[in-house]
Amino acid sequence: MNPPRQSVLILIVADLSPRSSRYSKGRKITTMPLPHDVGAAIAAYLQHGRPRSDRRRLFLLAVAPYSGFKGAAGIQTVARSAMRRAGIVGPGRRDSHIFRHSLATDLLRSGTTLTEIGQLLRHEQQDRTRI
């Protein structure tokens, strides 16, 4: 299972604060800044979209029994559905990994070095950060 998707699967509500989020990749846990727009989107989800549940996981299935996703395939399904609704079509990857790639591309275009991008994406090996 791909660690970035896995970290979304296991994110729990208690890991969030108004300014930061605990993020795990592999066996490393890091506190990362939580951008205002992301925090606002999560707050809206918690207030209006997340099913009522005593489950600790942030993201739950939208149908009973409202448990967390069982694997990366659930996140992939959500990502593909969102891209389809947004009209994103064409060749290339159309799964959740595209969000990491898009972030890296935007950062590179704005002048961020590959080393800095690799650190943000939590790559253990520098050669993993490539286009």
Side-chain angles (χ1 to χ4, degrees), residues 4 17 22 32-33 40 46 56-57 88 97-98 112 115 131:
S17 75
R22 287 184 56 190
M32 301 285 285
L46 288 170
R56 296 177 37 174
R57 288 198 183 163
I88 299 172
H97 190 79
I98 197 170
T112 308
T115 300
I131 305 267

Side-chain angles (χ1 to χ4, degrees), residues 93-130:
R93 291 184 78 151
R94 285 184 299 280
D95 60 24
S96 62
H97 190 79
I98 197 170
F99 300 123
R100 287 175 57 85
H101 181 78
S102 295
L103 171 64
T105 300
D106 287 346
L107 290 170
L108 189 61
R109 287 180 180 155
S110 70
T112 308
T113 67
L114 286 175
T115 300
E116 292 168 324
I117 294 169
Q119 290 171 347
L120 178 66
L121 297 177
R122 310 298 293 160
H123 290 164
E124 290 185 12
Q125 299 171 353
Q126 190 171 9
D127 67 334
R128 294 239 179 222
T129 311
R130 56 186 165 198

Side-chain angles (χ1 to χ4, degrees), residues 30-105:
T30 304
T31 300
M32 301 285 285
L34 186 64
H36 177 74
D37 59 337
V38 174
I42 290 172
Y45 167 71
L46 288 170
Q47 292 174 348
H48 307 293
R50 185 178 186 270
R52 291 195 187 280
S53 174
D54 60 353
R55 305 281 179 142
R56 296 177 37 174
R57 288 198 183 163
L58 175 61
F59 297 110
L60 302 176
L61 296 172
V63 295
Y66 307 122
S67 61
F69 290 93
K70 299 210 182 312
I75 299 298
Q76 297 294 12
T77 300
V78 170
R80 284 187 192 110
S81 176
M83 285 185 258
R84 195 170 29 255
R85 284 193 316 271
I88 299 172
V89 295
R93 291 184 78 151
R94 285 184 299 280
D95 60 24
S96 62
H97 190 79
I98 197 170
F99 300 123
R100 287 175 57 85
H101 181 78
S102 295
L103 171 64
T105 300

